[in-house]
Amino acid sequence: MDVFYNKEGIGDCLLIPFKQGDRYQTTFETFGDVVKIIDTETKEVLGYNIFQASQYLSLGNGKITLTEELLSQIKDIFTKNNLDDALDIDLSPKFVVGYVKEKAPHENADKLNVCQVDLGDEEVQIVCGAPNVDAGQHVVVAKVGAIMPSGMEIKAAKLRGVPSNGMICSQKELGLPDAPQEKGIYVLTGEVEAGQVFQF
C-alpha cells in the first residue's frame, strides 16, 4: 500500500487512501491534525489525511510505500490526536510475479480463459481476456486489494459465473512507459519466479 506526500503541490499533508470514493458522497471527522474520510452511504473509511505532517514525520515527496515502521509512526500520530482507529492494514505486496500453470477456456464466454496461477505462497484462479495469455508464462498479477495506477481497486469477483481472484496485467494497465497499444498481458522474461514482488 502507498501513501502520498507533496508539500509543494498540496501542502503539509500526508494522504492515506484506502478506497476510491465519490467526493460528493463523503463526510469527514476531525481529530486534531487527523481527518477521517468516510463514505456517507456505505459508512466505509475511505482514508485519512494527516495535516502538519512534517511536525510528526520525515517524508520524501511523492508516493511512499507504507512500511511497518511508518505504520507504527502513523498509529502514534492517531493516539496523540485522540483517534483510536485500529489501522489493521495488510502490508503484503499486491503486485507480484505469477506463473500460469494452466489455461482453460471459459465455459460461458468465447474470449475469456480461466487460469490457475502460482503466486509462490498460494495458487489463485484468475479469469483473463487477453489474447496472448498461455500456460507456462510468468506474468504480473495484481492481487485482490491492489490499487491500479488508474485508481481501480482489484476485488474478488465472478466473471460470467466463474470466480476470479486478481488480475493478470498488461503494461498499459500497470502504467508503464512506452506500453504497447495492442491488447495483451505483459509476459515477463529473464530471471523471475512466482511470488517475487514486481518492481514498477
Side-chain angles (χ1 to χ4, degrees):
M1 176 179 165
D2 295 316
V3 297
F4 301 88
Y5 181 76
N6 183 340
K7 191 170 184 178
E8 290 73 31
I10 58 173
D12 191 9
C13 178
L14 179 67
L15 308 179
I16 308 170
F18 286 166
K19 296 177 180 292
Q20 291 294 308
D22 182 343
R23 64 179 178 167
Y24 300 109
Q25 192 179 295
T26 55
T27 187
F28 306 92
E29 293 179 9
T30 303
F31 301 83
D33 288 327
V34 182
V35 173
K36 181 177 180 178
I37 305 160
I38 303 160
D39 187 300
T40 51
E41 280 196 6
T42 66
K43 308 304 180 191
E44 285 184 300
V45 176
L46 300 176
Y48 300 89
N49 293 342
I50 298 176
F51 292 90
Q52 318 301 330
S54 64
Q55 293 183 19
Y56 299 100
L57 302 163
S58 296
L59 298 165
N61 259 354
K63 182 168 70 171
I64 302 163
T65 299
L66 188 60
T67 61
E68 290 285 359
E69 181 184 4
L70 181 53
L71 181 58
S72 177
Q73 292 174 313
I74 291 169
K75 287 179 179 180
D76 287 343
I77 295 168
F78 278 23
T79 301
K80 287 174 184 172
N81 286 276
N82 299 310
L83 174 58
D84 61 1
D85 288 10
L87 271 190
D88 294 323
I89 299 172
D90 176 11
L91 296 181
S92 64
K94 293 294 182 277
F95 292 90
V96 299
V97 175
Y99 178 74
V100 183
K101 294 177 71 175
E102 297 175 28
K103 179 189 90 166
H106 192 295
E107 57 191 23
N108 298 318
D110 292 341
K111 294 187 177 179
L112 298 178
N113 290 292
V114 181
C115 301
Q116 307 304 322
V117 186
D118 178 7
L119 300 182
D121 58 349
E122 62 176 328
E123 188 173 311
V124 296
Q125 178 171 284
I126 299 175
V127 176
C128 180
N132 64 327
V133 69
D134 210 348
Q137 293 171 334
H138 282 100
V139 296
V140 181
V141 173
K143 297 170 72 173
V144 171
I147 304 293
M148 301 300 293
S150 66
M152 179 180 72
E153 180 184 357
I154 301 301
K155 298 180 179 179
K158 281 191 175 181
L159 298 178
R160 296 283 185 93
V162 175
S164 183
N165 293 286
M167 184 170 82
I168 301 175
C169 303
S170 69
Q171 293 186 51
K172 189 175 181 182
E173 288 163 335
L174 292 167
L176 299 181
D178 304 318
Q181 292 305 303
E182 62 269 16
K183 287 185 177 181
I185 55 158
Y186 184 19
V187 180
L188 300 172
T189 57
E191 296 296 315
V192 292
E193 60 183 38
Q196 183 179 324
V197 177
F198 177 71
Q199 303 289 350
F200 283 84

